[in-house]
Amino acid sequence: MPKKILALYSLAHLWVDLSCALLVFRTMAGDGNFVLCLLLYNFCAFALQMPLGLLADRLNRNGLTAAAGCALTALAYLPLPAVPAAITAGTGNALFHLGGGIDVLNAGEKRAAALGVFISPGALGLFIGTLWGRRAAPALWLGPAGLLALGGAILFFRRGPSGNSPLELTPKGGYGPLLPLFLVVVLRSYMGMNQTFSWKSQWALALTLALALGKTAGGFAMDRLGPRRASAGSLGLAAVCYLACALPGPGLLAVFLFNMTMPVTLWAAARTLPGAKGFAFGLLTFGLFLGWLPSYLGWPNLLTGPAAYAAVSLLSLVLLWVPLRGEAVRC
């Protein structure tokens, strides 16, 4: 994939997530249906990617899908009631991620560096959008203006057929590898929602950057070392660092290392379902939704400290060991 297209998709990813967070926390936070809006937004943005992914795989117009996602998210900024706005923004978010994600996966083939670059800006976008939404700055119109501009640019450069493989839901090597990949994503999402650090509020930006840069680094590490060795190294070191996460330095490093496997899991799922990359992408984002749900429902936190965080890292490594077995060569 040309670098300018990857940069465009990455910038759009940041702005889509920023715009969604800005909309939610600026216009919905005071609404009586805010709790319902959060549920519907996250369901549409993450769980809905599975069925929408099948449509995107068949449509074979990834640029159009991503641009439509930008436009639909911008549409949510119209003076709509909170619940329809949440559904519209969440669906637009899902369409953008699918269009951009499938396009990057198609271009990457055996490599994951571009995928890591594409997915990493989302965390920073959510951080900035949440901050702006809660502090009533900047002007609200900047969200849809940026979405329409970036969506138009994507449509201009990527408006033709995308080269998706013919739709095929039968996994290469069977369904077995998908379950551990799915569980790793559920664990990662649950960990992200429930891990707490005494220094978190003072180091919020650094923590967000560690999360985002970890995803970027994970793609490059996989290309250099192979997915199995990159995952073993990052998760093993993350477990060690989590044991000392009461301190900001080891804690930030642990978050960085733990998130390095995100592009690896997406890449491996797409390799397992080469004829349904959008569905594979959506399957794992459904895992993100499930990992978020216990916190939303107010269930007790099962992660009670550094030892629990280290255990989740090691459990993730065990789960990844089998599905990455056939991909243990240098890419």
Side-chain angles (χ1 to χ4, degrees), residues 112-113 214-238 256-265 267 313 316-317 320-321 324 327-331:
K215 296 172 185 178
T216 301
F220 285 97
M222 196 204 85
D223 291 348
R224 176 64 178 169
L225 303 172
R228 209 180 197 193
R229 284 195 289 172
S231 298
S234 62
L235 290 172
L237 289 171
F256 173 89
L257 292 163
F258 184 72
N259 282 277
M260 284 178 66
T261 57
M262 186 167 183
V264 178
T265 52
W267 175 88
S313 295
S316 298
L317 175 55
L320 280 176
W321 199 250
L324 297 182
E327 307 289 356
V329 296
R330 187 184 299 265
C331 296

Side-chain angles (χ1 to χ4, degrees), residues 276-323:
K277 292 185 177 75
F279 179 78
F281 202 100
L283 177 67
L284 296 194
T285 59
F286 181 58
L288 291 175
F289 176 76
L290 291 183
W292 168 84
L293 202 53
S295 295
Y296 171 82
L297 295 173
W299 292 1
N301 182 9
L302 300 179
L303 301 179
T304 57
Y309 306 154
V312 171
S313 295
L314 294 177
L315 178 57
S316 298
L317 175 55
V318 171
L319 288 169
L320 280 176
W321 199 250
V322 173

Side-chain angles (χ1 to χ4, degrees), residues 131-301:
L131 194 66
W132 284 354
R134 288 174 171 168
R135 296 185 177 181
L140 196 62
W141 63 266
L142 287 176
L147 289 167
L148 293 174
L150 290 164
I154 291 170
L155 191 59
F156 177 80
F157 288 110
R158 307 296 284 184
R159 60 185 177 274
S162 302
N164 294 358
S165 302
L167 183 61
E168 175 56 67
L169 280 172
T170 302
K172 185 176 71 173
Y175 289 93
L178 290 173
L179 179 59
L181 294 172
F182 179 79
L183 292 175
V184 165
V185 174
V186 174
L187 281 172
R188 186 189 303 125
S189 177
Y190 184 81
M191 176 87 116
M193 292 301 302
N194 289 281
Q195 65 184 357
T196 57
F197 307 112
S198 60
W199 43 266
K200 186 174 181 178
S201 59
Q202 292 85 5
W203 293 76
L205 177 57
L207 194 62
T208 302
L209 291 174
L211 189 153
L213 293 174
K215 296 172 185 178
T216 301
F220 285 97
M222 196 204 85
D223 291 348
R224 176 64 178 169
L225 303 172
R228 209 180 197 193
R229 284 195 289 172
S231 298
S234 62
L235 290 172
L237 289 171
V240 174
C241 291
Y242 269 126
L243 293 175
C245 68
L247 300 173
L252 291 170
L253 185 56
V255 171
F256 173 89
L257 292 163
F258 184 72
N259 282 277
M260 284 178 66
T261 57
M262 186 167 183
V264 178
T265 52
L266 287 170
W267 175 88
R271 293 270 288 180
T272 305
L273 281 169
K277 292 185 177 75
F279 179 78
F281 202 100
L283 177 67
L284 296 194
T285 59
F286 181 58
L288 291 175
F289 176 76
L290 291 183
W292 168 84
L293 202 53
S295 295
Y296 171 82
L297 295 173
W299 292 1
N301 182 9

